[in-house]
Amino acid sequence: MIAHIQGKIVEKFANSVIIDVHGVGYEVALSSINYDNLLLNDEVKVYTYHLVREQSEDLFGFTSLAEKKLFELLISVQGVGPKNAMAILSLAPAEEVRNAIANADAAFIAKASGIGKRSSERVIVDLKEKVGLPTHYGRTVEPQTQVTLPNDEALEALMALGFQLADATRALDGVDPNLPVEERIRLALKSRQ
């Protein structure tokens, strides 16, 4: 297996690059986000997933090990092949995709090319428990203003009371995050009545 490639990007085309490693060029398929961020003549290290089939060998590249692991989880879902997984990873940075899965946001996953409603729901069902807890919640927040609340005590308290993550998130939507934890919980419970 080829675990990673380190070298210079000598060509770019159709979401793939050729990386020259001591005179040998490796063609590596990338998500559109990584493709846009890497420039010709950049010295790069990409983690790779080496897919061997009867009639072809393909390399899929990732700028982080976490992104590669998410790709491997995605292709473990029935009906999601490597190209579909790359389409999902092209929606947003890997952490955003992971959070969408953790938050059961099937509509976000369904935006990927070649992924329909049924496939996006299967991704959520199969991977929600495998991707870990979300580091933030909310679907319509822009990345620049996104609230990162990995230890939101109010959210955790609502979940301890039996709320599902999505329900707890909706209950806290519109509640000022600067209020004391007890007040946020009280207002969230009041909004659910």
Side-chain angles (χ1 to χ4, degrees), residues 120-165:
S120 66
E121 290 170 352
R122 175 169 269 137
V123 166
I124 299 300
V125 168
D126 288 1
L127 301 183
K128 188 173 188 308
E129 300 300 319
K130 295 179 181 178
V131 296
L133 293 174
T135 55
H136 62 270
Y137 57 94
R139 294 183 354 165
T140 59
V141 181
E142 293 298 317
Q144 302 91 320
T145 61
Q146 195 157 38
V147 180
T148 302
L149 299 169
N151 297 315
D152 186 347
E153 292 179 42
L155 180 69
E156 291 177 11
L158 289 173
M159 291 175 66
L161 291 171
F163 282 73
Q164 295 294 321
L165 176 62

Side-chain angles (χ1 to χ4, degrees), residues 69-116:
K69 295 302 179 189
L70 183 56
F71 173 84
E72 290 172 344
L73 284 173
L74 286 167
I75 63 173
S76 73
V77 175
Q78 181 182 356
V80 177
K83 289 184 181 176
N84 296 126
M86 290 305 266
I88 293 170
L89 290 173
S90 293
L91 292 172
E95 182 60 17
E96 294 297 315
V97 173
R98 190 192 71 74
N99 273 300
I101 294 168
N103 282 312
D105 192 349
F108 177 80
I109 302 300
K111 292 178 186 176
S113 175
I115 299 292

